[in-house]
Amino acid sequence: MSREKRPAYFRFFLEACDLISILDVESAGRVIQAVSAYFSDNIEPRDLSKNERTVFNRLGRDVDKSFSDYEAAVTYGKQGADKRHGGRKS
């Protein structure tokens, strides 16, 4: 998905901060980098420890939810525009 046609952010809840805080600094950094790569380029990490993978999986669900919400908003926006403008092409 191109960067123009995707969400610009994802929610980073307090629960995520709590999860990251239980990791040591090096592990937390690997998880943050993995989440960044997943959000930016849909790259799944391969080399995370069990604890890092657990935290990544939880944060990855928030990323996935952001994409789902974005796609729904785009779909609803198109439907609303079609209703308002009668499906005309500009």
Side-chain angles (χ1 to χ4, degrees), residues 9-18 20 32 35 59 62:
Y9 64 91
F10 67 96
R11 295 178 179 111
F12 198 84
F13 293 105
L14 187 56
E15 176 188 1
C17 296
D18 292 342
I20 288 174
I32 298 278
V35 169
L59 298 177
D62 291 336

Side-chain angles (χ1 to χ4, degrees), residues 41-87:
D41 301 313
N42 198 30
I43 297 171
E44 285 273 348
R46 295 188 221 183
D47 57 347
L48 298 178
S49 71
K50 183 178 178 181
N51 286 342
E52 292 167 351
R53 171 59 67 179
T54 299
V55 174
F56 171 82
N57 287 341
R58 175 59 190 88
L59 298 177
R61 287 195 304 266
D62 291 336
V63 170
D64 294 341
K65 177 82 167 100
S66 292
F67 273 89
S68 175
D69 291 350
Y70 175 81
E71 289 173 9
V74 168
T75 299
Y76 295 141
K78 286 179 181 177
Q79 290 171 349
D82 286 347
K83 282 182 184 178
R84 182 174 184 166
H85 301 289

